[in-house]
Amino acid sequence: MYFGACYYPEQWPEERWETDARLMQQARFNAVRMAEFAWTRLEPSEGQYDLSWLDRAIDLMDRYGIRTILGTPTAGPPKWLMDLHPDIYQQDIYGRRKGFGARRHYCFNNSTFHTYTKRIVTQMAERYGSDSRVIGWQIDNEFGMIDTARCYCDSCLNAFKAWLQQKYGTIDAVNEAWGTIFSSQTFRSWDEVHLPAYAVHQHHNPGLALDFRRFSSDSVCAYQKLQIDIIRANAIKSQPITHNEMGKYNHIDFYELSKELDLSSLDIYPNMKSEPKDRPSYAAEQHDMTRGFKGGRNYWVLEHQSGAPGALTMAPTPVPGEIRRWTYQSVARGADAIVYFRWRTLPYSIEELWHGILQHHGDPGRKYEEVKRIGQELEKLAPLLTGTTVKPKVALIRSYDNDWAFELQPHMQGYEYIKHIEAYYAYFYERGIPVDILSPEADFTKYSLLITPNLMMAKESTVTALHRYVANGGCWVADFRTGAKEWNNQMTQKRLPGPYRELLGIDVEDYGVIEAHEEIGIHDLSTGATYRSSQWYESIELLPLGSPAQPMAVYTSGYYKDTPAVTRRAFQKGHAFYIGTVLEKQGLYAILDQIVDEAGVTSLIPNLPAGVEAVARVDADGGGREVLFLINHTAVEAVVSLSDSWSDALSDQQLKGPLVLNPQDVKVLHQPKTIPMLFG
Ligand code: GAL
């Protein structure tokens, strides 16, 4: 387990470094992240490299038992470089060059920038690739953030054409895939291909627009690969390569980005102005997504909130105990490194309000003391956690292609793909049922329950895998718009739900939007309860099959009144469920309760009190160890009822029955039977 902070020696007088190292050591740090924005100090002018200050910083930290995760500095190309080669700047949809003054101002497809990138990365990789004081590499920093994943310059146009040639072979195939006959948009040659830049309105051909998103994401992956290759050629085995990814954002396909990485990483700021502070499932979901980027494997947190975030105005400061409970949430969900952002709050520049562990003055205060306590606790917990991971029985599929397709055309007012995923996620979070969030291409055979929210398009291989999954005994939940589109983003011409009609045993006879003023409901046939549905309906006919689908709920109004809204079908050894409308929370939860039951999935803690999070890490290789984390995210006491006997890993007390969790408090419990295996 790594524990530490982001440290920027280039921003502080060298006389101060040792004080910082000493304080870090006292807080049980064993890692710092450095250098990811230090290009101008590493190469002050073209070809003049100076890594001596970084040598001294790495060395000093090592003397205090702290190892270094090195960031390549490419997210901040220096001014001299941009002045020499202004064509490196990204261009926006209006063809305007984005200028200097922020960060991430380079185009991923610019070959001049590739040359400079290779040079600086080679310098670092050759210097530190065999240095065991360096324990890992972060490539660049938060690819795609602040709207930088897509660029509209000539380098990108040329690269886009090459990407299309590779994918489609001929221009006629492009015309066909996109349906360019509409509005005379047909291309006669590759020369005529354009980017979805500024047009009369921004509603470009959906095929073109989706391919451009895919291409842009691939461009980031290719740029990352260029750096990975250099580092991998130089790095020793103990230096994994990672990137600080961004959970729920969709500007890049993070499954693809993670393929070449040794492990995925996350930057997590639970208290942001944009996110409700009382929704800890928001942060939990980011963790589960990051674990899923590599198919359900542990990851690092390379930026962990430790103070109030803010650029121009500030988000809430973490109250006492809050850094601790967010840190435990991270560890509980599979983080094997916690690196706080940042060690000390900077007194200048655009992040002077973005607070770290130490305030501007640099003296240890209450946040430092809290971090120190966490450091001591994690030191004690490390042997218990080593070799454990989260192993859910439920998988939730999140697809970037579908996310992008819905972003381009949401189909209904107020719809957001990611919010729809969140609605399912919230159910499992609140019920204390662990979930993996996976790519549609992941191996989901080992899960008892699989949910594919709005899987509007899918590759053939996914369609086949879903059929096999259900046939072999899995419970699959599909919902509205499933199968409605082909992979090229055209509407399917098959009857809906496309390739899953037989499997689900249904025909979506008609569909449409539900307007805000309409009163549409569903009647749950098992409980008799009625729930509101909104935004979208699909009226369903049950196919006359040998073992037909059964209705679970029917509509209470609309011209489709009494037709099935939710169905289930037994198919070979498994079950396939279909939800044809957007259900209000209680309705969705009631339906999911029935499905979860059917799938034999249970909560870690039945009747989990609101605001209490329950997650477990278990032996990755199938041993019997189970470490249960209970986190009280509320400002009031909560009582959890333990049916088994557990050991409190921090106090070593034996616990059973009602367990009181103080406000903001955390309990880490493990089964007594696991002790001999751990230490013996
Ligand atoms: C992150 C970024 C860091 C720092 C932090 C606070 O998104 O990776 O470099 O800028 O935000 O603003």
Side-chain angles (χ1 to χ4, degrees), residues 80 96 115 149 205 223 234 252 359 388 410 420 557 597 607 609:
W80 61 258
R96 296 177 306 204
T115 304
N205 177 302
Y223 175 74
N234 288 278
I252 298 164
Q359 301 291 82
T388 62
H420 190 56
S557 44
D597 228 32
N607 305 317

Side-chain angles (χ1 to χ4, degrees), residues 238-295:
S238 55
Q239 296 181 341
I241 303 172
T242 187
H243 173 71
N244 51 338
E245 299 165 301
M246 292 303 292
K248 79 167 195 184
Y249 290 91
N250 73 351
H251 39 252
I252 298 164
D253 180 333
F254 284 111
Y255 303 121
E256 284 300 318
L257 193 79
S258 304
K259 273 186 186 157
E260 292 287 338
L261 297 170
D262 295 312
L263 51 92
S264 51
S265 292
L266 171 69
D267 288 353
I268 188 77
Y269 295 92
N271 283 19
M272 292 292 278
K273 277 169 290 189
S274 54
E275 295 300 330
K277 204 171 171 272
D278 59 353
R279 194 159 63 81
S281 68
Y282 160 76
E285 192 182 16
Q286 313 300 301
H287 289 288
D288 290 354
M289 283 176 179
T290 310
R291 210 178 53 246
F293 291 158
K294 283 193 79 71

Side-chain angles (χ1 to χ4, degrees), residues 33 36-37 103 141-142 244 267 269 303 341 351 354:
R33 184 188 68 166
E36 79 278 5
F37 279 102
R103 47 170 64 175
N141 190 80
E142 291 184 351
N244 51 338
D267 288 353
Y269 295 92
E303 291 181 27
F341 189 87
E351 291 189 0
W354 201 290

Side-chain angles (χ1 to χ4, degrees), residues 2-40:
Y2 290 125
F3 186 64
C6 302
Y7 188 58
Y8 303 105
E10 72 277 18
Q11 295 170 358
W12 305 97
E14 197 158 338
E15 310 82 80
R16 167 75 195 199
W17 294 1
E18 187 142 13
T19 307
D20 290 330
R22 192 175 310 113
L23 285 170
M24 288 179 186
Q25 185 189 47
Q26 285 162 9
R28 304 291 203 273
F29 279 18
N30 56 14
V32 283
R33 184 188 68 166
M34 295 204 271
E36 79 278 5
F37 279 102
W39 195 337
T40 199

